[in-house]
Amino acid sequence: MKDLKLGSRRLAVMLLVVFLALPVFAEWPYKSHKIDTIVSLLCRNLIKSNGSVWERSGFIPGAVIASNSEHSTGGGSYFAHWVRDGALVMNTLVNLYKSNHNAMYLGYPVSEYLRNYVYFVRVYSLKSLGDHLTPAKFYIESGEAYKNWSHQDDGPALRSSALTNLAFECLYNPDSDQGLDEEYARETLYPIIKSDLEYTAHQFSEAFNPGNSKGKTTNLWEESYGCTFFTEISQLKALLAGAALSNDEHIDDPGAAQFYVEMANYPLELAQAHWQDNYYYYNQEITGYTAGLQDEWNQRGMMLNISVMLGALYADLRKALDGSGRIYRNLYRDKPGYEASAFRFIVESLNNDPGLFVNSEKMQRTVYEIVRCFSTGGCDPYGINIEDSRFGVGPLVGRYPHDAYSPYNSGQGNPWFLTSLGVAEYYFTLADRLKEMGDIHVTRLNLPFFKMIKEDIIPGTYDAESHSGMELLEALRARGEMIVGAVRRHCEQDTLEMSEQINRNTGFMEGASNLTWSYSSLVRAWLAYDSMRD
């Protein structure tokens, strides 16, 4: 990756010429074949079967390095395996595998990357699950956990969700040639999944976490401690998906399914409690306190935070609980050893208050509140968004308003690639869900969101197939493309490499280079875009 020096006037002029040459994007800003390039960039950060990564060897196969930055300012070494990042990245690869079992990147089939990851989890990462604490970060040389790093309970939940996704593919679309079949699901994947689910479910047990400690953990950004929305919705999805797998005829573990569903009610209630009537958004954290960092900006991050949208997007509960899906089919009816009333209660609760769904009015309003913060006239506007708007792209989005973390200790946070791409994915996913539902409800609560998308919209119910409804869906698609266009504008122009952040004023990349989560986020956005077009 090029090291962009802001003091070089010549370089700045050259970059400006490049930027001016870029078109206003009226469609997906990356050509389809460029997505293969992005997946290859992602796979470059996966340790291969021979223990190599970035032309170095001696590492444990299957680990996922967060970045190739070993001395990133402010964040320690990113040349390590995070449970959360690895799980999210692998879930993206599972979805790519589901679309093409024979896909290959950098000379290796996707199935090999997946099996290597499972090996790392089974032999190294899983053994570090403690009675009360789960490590977040691992050395890739030894597989040992970092001793002085925060413990995060979203990791086991996200990991079990990714592996459950793979297990269902092994059961219902087995590929013995790739080594991913029913036996692999039963004998290799399910024991790992069950270990993660047992840990997750017991977080809400009085005997395991007495008093008021139930459900509390370090937040997504490793900055504070409390009951966090992202963790709760990730745990809810993991417990329901895992219960469906346990109750599947191929696994036949109904007692485990019963326990997971019953415990899923706890993260459900916690996640629903984050809604703030006075502010019209879900806050990130309740009953929390800072983790010994900079109190003022941590307290702000506990409220409005992009992690809420990311949690809802990654869980996608409406799709997960669709009547034709495996979770619903495997859990809605009684069977010997399993009684379905607890699951039916959860479904009823989500139908009565669908705020956790991607397509809900509450989530739409939450997304509006966070996006407008970084736009012109918002509470923490980015200068680069003003510049980008002249080219018809953007806006870029950060983690939360008045974020103070930056690679160069400027005291001002930046937009991130993964958060911006998350908003683009949200727009594409929302368009897909609204099209499926048939009706688009514009109410007093979500009107600001839709006005941000289409200024002349008025409250009412729109048929998704009507002219007005199709205009709204098209506006969502276009908005997502504009954000992807801004990402394309600020990534490395030739190689398409992406770092962690984008400077809020200059638009130059900052932070950890080649962030794996950034690449995964772009692939996710592409998959959502592709699904929306079907």
Side-chain angles (χ1 to χ4, degrees):
M1 179 175 293
K2 296 178 180 177
D3 186 14
L4 302 178
K5 303 297 184 181
L6 304 186
S8 172
R9 180 172 298 181
R10 180 182 178 187
L11 180 57
V13 171
M14 291 171 63
L15 286 170
L16 180 60
V17 170
V18 173
F19 287 169
L20 289 173
L22 291 173
V24 173
F25 296 107
E27 56 184 20
W28 181 256
Y30 293 80
K31 301 295 184 182
S32 295
H33 72 276
K34 296 291 186 182
I35 294 302
D36 287 341
T37 302
I38 297 299
V39 180
S40 295
L41 290 171
L42 182 158
C43 290
R44 186 170 56 171
N45 286 357
L46 310 182
I47 299 179
K48 313 303 185 290
S49 299
N50 61 4
S52 67
V53 67
W54 281 88
E55 300 182 351
R56 296 167 56 183
S57 59
F59 305 109
I60 299 173
V64 180
I65 63 169
S67 158
N68 66 330
S69 295
E70 295 189 65
H71 304 288
S72 181
T73 305
S77 174
Y78 281 58
F79 204 64
H81 176 96
W82 265 265
V83 176
R84 175 197 300 117
D85 298 40
L88 291 171
V89 167
M90 282 298 149
N91 198 46
T92 300
L93 279 190
V94 171
N95 290 330
L96 288 173
Y97 172 76
K98 288 165 66 174
S99 66
N100 181 4
H101 282 197
N102 297 313
M104 295 186 67
Y105 297 96
L106 302 181
Y108 296 88
V110 171
S111 59
E112 185 168 337
Y113 290 117
L114 295 172
R115 291 197 310 272
N116 286 343
Y117 171 73
V118 172
Y119 165 80
F120 177 80
V121 172
R122 180 169 56 87
V123 176
Y124 294 95
S125 186
L126 195 65
K127 70 180 182 180
S128 296
L129 272 178
D131 289 337
H132 296 273
L133 301 172
T134 174
K137 185 178 179 182
F138 289 80
Y139 292 97
I140 59 175
E141 301 88 352
S142 64
E144 295 297 319
Y146 276 65
K147 301 300 183 185
N148 297 317
W149 207 266
S150 61
H151 295 267
Q152 299 157 20
D153 288 338
D154 57 0
L158 293 167
R159 184 168 59 197
S160 68
S161 289
L163 295 182
T164 298
N165 190 12
L166 178 59
F168 273 124
E169 184 68 10
C170 292
L171 292 176
Y172 289 94
N173 292 293
D175 192 333
S176 297
D177 292 338
Q178 303 281 0
L180 297 176
D181 51 20
E182 181 179 338
E183 181 181 1
Y184 188 78
R186 284 199 321 267
E187 303 300 325
T188 301
L189 294 178
Y190 186 62
I192 300 172
I193 293 166
K194 188 167 184 177
S195 293
D196 277 338
L197 291 175
E198 290 292 318
Y199 176 87
T200 298
H202 279 93
Q203 293 306 302
F204 304 98
S205 164
E206 180 67 22
F208 192 84
N209 270 328
N212 65 354
S213 63
K214 291 188 288 293
K216 291 184 179 179
T217 186
T218 309
N219 77 343
L220 177 64
W221 311 120
E222 302 178 342
E223 293 174 350
S224 60
Y225 178 86
C227 295
T228 69
F229 183 95
F230 182 90
T231 299
E232 291 149 11
I233 199 168
S234 299
Q235 292 170 325
L236 172 59
K237 167 65 178 296
L239 289 168
L240 293 177
L245 180 65
S246 299
N247 219 27
D248 192 89
E249 61 183 358
H250 297 87
I251 303 297
D252 194 26
D253 191 359
Q258 187 78 57
F259 177 56
Y260 301 150
V261 171
E262 289 173 356
M263 299 311 290
N265 190 58
Y266 289 97
L268 169 63
E269 290 180 353
L270 284 170
Q272 290 176 326
H274 285 260
W275 177 252
Q276 302 292 304
D277 281 321
N278 294 335
Y279 298 102
Y280 304 112
Y281 61 75
Y282 284 104
N283 68 357
Q284 180 211 212
E285 197 162 315
I286 53 177
T287 62
Y289 56 86
T290 59
L293 299 177
Q294 300 167 24
D295 288 348
E296 185 179 357
W297 58 273
N298 274 322
Q299 294 293 348
R300 281 193 288 260
M302 288 180 183
M303 297 294 288
L304 187 59
N305 196 303
I306 195 70
S307 65
V308 170
M309 183 208 73
L310 292 175
L313 195 60
Y314 296 161
D316 200 359
L317 289 174
R318 185 185 183 278
K319 182 178 180 181
L321 296 176
D322 183 89
S324 62
R326 298 204 182 278
I327 294 178
Y328 190 93
R329 296 206 311 262
N330 285 4
L331 296 178
Y332 198 76
R333 292 177 177 81
D334 296 343
K335 62 177 287 188
Y338 171 77
E339 204 277 316
S341 59
F343 178 72
R344 293 172 185 165
F345 176 84
I346 288 174
V347 172
E348 181 180 0
S349 177
L350 286 168
N351 286 333
N352 290 335
D353 180 7
L356 304 186
F357 294 162
V358 166
N359 56 286
S360 75
E361 295 171 23
K362 288 181 177 179
M363 196 57 63
Q364 291 163 13
R365 182 60 180 262
T366 300
V367 173
Y368 161 76
E369 296 293 345
I370 190 70
V371 171
R372 75 162 181 163
C373 283
F374 306 112
S375 305
T376 304
C379 63
D380 190 17
Y382 295 149
I384 192 60
N385 281 335
I386 299 174
E387 176 71 16
D388 281 350
S389 66
R390 297 170 185 166
F391 298 91
V393 298
L396 296 167
V397 177
R399 302 188 302 173
Y400 52 86
H402 306 295
D403 185 359
Y405 170 68
S406 70
Y408 302 112
N409 299 317
S410 68
Q412 289 188 308
N414 295 313
W416 290 37
F417 282 104
L418 73 91
T419 53
S420 300
L421 288 166
V423 176
E425 181 190 348
Y426 178 83
Y427 289 148
F428 299 144
T429 302
L430 177 60
D432 200 29
R433 297 291 173 273
L434 293 176
K435 183 171 64 174
E436 291 173 356
M437 294 173 65
D439 287 334
I440 304 171
H441 300 287
V442 180
T443 67
R444 179 181 177 184
L445 180 60
N446 65 2
L447 180 61
F449 172 85
F450 280 108
K451 278 192 170 293
M452 180 175 67
I453 303 300
K454 192 173 185 296
E455 291 184 0
D456 61 351
I457 192 70
I458 60 174
T461 298
Y462 299 84
D463 185 335
E465 295 185 354
S466 69
H467 177 72
S468 297
M470 292 175 66
E471 281 187 336
L472 271 179
L473 298 180
E474 175 65 18
L476 283 168
R477 178 195 64 79
R479 280 287 179 168
E481 288 172 349
M482 288 171 64
I483 294 177
V484 178
V487 166
R488 179 67 182 90
R489 183 171 184 248
H490 295 290
C491 73
E492 174 61 48
Q493 294 301 299
D494 296 329
T495 66
L496 306 184
E497 291 177 321
M498 289 183 286
S499 63
E500 179 183 65
Q501 303 175 39
I502 303 162
N503 185 280
R504 62 187 291 145
N505 297 313
T506 67
F508 296 152
M509 290 190 289
E510 290 186 358
S513 61
N514 290 292
L515 193 76
T516 317
W517 197 348
S518 296
Y519 298 129
S520 178
S521 297
L522 180 52
V523 176
R524 285 182 58 95
W526 163 253
L527 292 173
Y529 179 82
D530 199 43
S531 176
M532 177 197 64
R533 295 188 305 169
D534 292 342

